[in-house]
Amino acid sequence: MTSQDGLLIVGEDLCKQLVGRQQAVDAVQSVFGAMASGGAWNFPVVREALGYADALYGFKSGFDREGQVLGVKSGGYWPGNAEKNLTNHQSTVFLFDPDTGQLSALVGGNYLTAVRTAASSAVSIAHLARQDSKVLGMVGAGHQSAFQLRAAAEQRAFEKVVAWNPHPDMLPRLATVAEEIGLQFEAVSQQELGAQADVIITITSAFEPLLMNDWIKPGTHLACMGTDTKGKQEVDPALVAAATVFTDEVAQSVTIGEAQHAINSGAVSQDQITPIGAVINGDHPGRTSEDEITLFDGTGVGLQDLAVASVAARLADEAGLAQRAAL
Ligand code: NAD
């Protein structure tokens, strides 16, 4: 994105209006491919406790040379926001002209974080789930879960959603989405979810396993999306060890992703984890049998944020809808 015509400002409402699920899936798939081929890379993540307002604050940054996208997502978590009628997670994307370093766009990052995270698991389902998958299992029923369900549902001809959440009172959120998109819905136990689901998404803030290896049937694809910090965990490390493991970025998977626990215990080694971009690029076959369990460790990388923000900025510019400010 060039900055010749001044700074583009694309707010949250405009992002919602302009960036749909398919555009997010296309952008995320393309940048995962570029990351695996070395044409795009993420920079080290900064995340700090501010010691003020209980807030966590940080930066995720990267450069996609193939897509010509340079920028940073800045933001974090302010737990007191809900009381002020604001989202606890707050972020903004800054895009820069890769030729000059000038700021080219400011893009609201809250909605885009949810769609880019949902796009990530959706890309994994598109490439790794069995074609005949019929039952989608959801573990988690928070803010992200509805986005996850909508994007996943578009990847296979699912007939039914089975769901479990540690706080069952949150499950109506998923029941409502399932009904809206014409899928049956059933609230089930964790074991029953494993027994029925062909594809499972985990999207919780858990710090201990919620799904055990023995509960998962052969041929399942799992997208583990909640674990994005050291110490978090959603599934049994034995399940990670039993699965063929894919990720957005190996460096994050082994340190802050779901694979961290299996790596720490020595059950899995780093070279057993494949970037999903290698499958996208045709350099790895992905799933090789109907019985194989595949697991995508979606840790969330800055380049996903930049990819969808760049789509928002381009579409807003083309439609003449964004505000412009002089630099
Ligand atoms: P949310 O606060 O809206 O929902 C939290 C979910 O986790 C709910 O299902 C809740 O029941 C469950 N939960 C809360 N505390 C728990 C605990 N102690 N043990 C087990 N489950 C618990 O959050 P959200 O916005 O839906 O985000 C869900 C998770 O996804 C968070 O952990 C967040 O950090 C993570 N996330 C990951 C990415 C990524 O790119 N991988 C992106 C955004 C968010």
Side-chain angles (χ1 to χ4, degrees):
M1 170 110 346
T2 70
S3 51
Q4 283 161 2
D5 303 318
L7 171 65
L8 275 178
I9 300 172
V10 187
E12 288 289 337
D13 286 346
L14 207 43
C15 288
K16 284 182 200 161
Q17 187 185 321
L18 293 172
V19 183
R21 282 188 293 282
Q22 192 56 49
Q23 282 143 326
V25 165
D26 291 345
V28 166
Q29 174 167 274
S30 158
V31 83
F32 282 168
M35 281 162 55
S37 65
W41 54 96
N42 293 286
F43 303 137
V45 174
V46 173
R47 195 164 163 88
E48 298 286 337
L50 282 186
Y52 181 80
D54 276 339
L56 288 173
Y57 174 68
F59 307 105
K60 282 188 167 183
S61 176
F63 179 40
D64 178 359
R65 193 180 51 204
E66 280 178 22
Q68 287 290 291
V69 181
L70 174 67
V72 58
K73 176 166 96 163
S74 164
Y77 186 73
W78 275 259
N81 275 7
E83 286 167 19
K84 301 171 188 162
N85 268 338
L86 294 170
T87 311
N88 288 351
H89 290 274
Q90 288 292 332
S91 62
T92 307
V93 178
F94 299 70
L95 295 176
F96 302 96
D97 182 338
D99 289 311
T100 64
Q102 278 196 303
L103 184 61
S104 57
L106 282 179
V107 185
N110 295 350
Y111 163 77
L112 290 182
T113 298
V115 278
R116 68 77 147 145
T117 306
S120 174
S121 60
V123 165
S124 85
I125 294 167
H127 287 277
L128 297 170
R130 290 189 342 265
Q131 289 298 335
D132 65 351
S133 298
K134 293 279 181 266
V135 179
L136 174 60
M138 295 294 305
V139 175
H143 176 69
Q144 302 283 334
S145 67
F147 291 87
Q148 292 282 329
L149 172 51
R150 285 182 198 279
E154 289 167 354
Q155 308 310 315
R156 290 289 183 271
F158 290 110
E159 293 170 354
K160 181 179 178 186
V161 177
V162 288
W164 177 84
N165 192 51
H167 307 101
D169 54 309
M170 296 170 81
L171 285 172
R173 167 183 266 138
L174 292 177
T176 304
V177 174
E179 189 182 351
E180 228 182 273
I181 59 182
L183 297 179
Q184 287 178 59
F185 180 84
E186 190 183 353
V188 293
S189 67
Q190 290 143 286
Q191 289 91 331
E192 186 58 27
L193 186 142
Q196 287 200 37
D198 302 305
V199 172
I200 300 174
I201 295 175
T202 60
I203 183 77
T204 70
S205 312
F207 281 82
E208 60 198 352
L210 304 174
L211 290 178
M212 303 312 287
N213 187 28
D214 294 349
W215 303 343
I216 304 304
K217 61 180 189 182
T220 301
H221 172 65
L222 294 107
C224 297
M225 304 304 297
T227 301
D228 55 359
T229 307
K230 200 171 172 198
K232 277 188 180 175
Q233 183 173 18
E234 296 189 291
V235 305
D236 184 359
L239 175 56
V240 179
T244 310
V245 182
F246 300 85
T247 186
D248 41 23
E249 189 177 83
V250 175
Q252 288 202 166
S253 170
V254 300
T255 51
I256 60 167
E258 192 59 43
Q260 63 181 290
H261 307 285
I263 288 281
N264 291 344
S265 71
V268 169
S269 63
Q270 181 161 327
D271 58 11
Q272 290 174 285
I273 303 177
T274 304
I276 185 105
V279 182
I280 293 165
N281 294 340
D283 296 328
H284 186 287
R287 167 179 295 278
T288 53
S289 85
E290 295 293 285
D291 284 346
E292 188 176 4
I293 293 177
T294 52
L295 186 149
F296 174 67
D297 185 1
T299 64
V301 294
L303 279 170
Q304 281 171 259
D305 298 297
L306 305 188
V308 289
S310 153
V311 170
R314 178 174 53 76
L315 294 176
D317 193 23
E318 283 169 8
L321 290 171
Q323 291 177 51
R324 281 209 176 262
L327 271 176

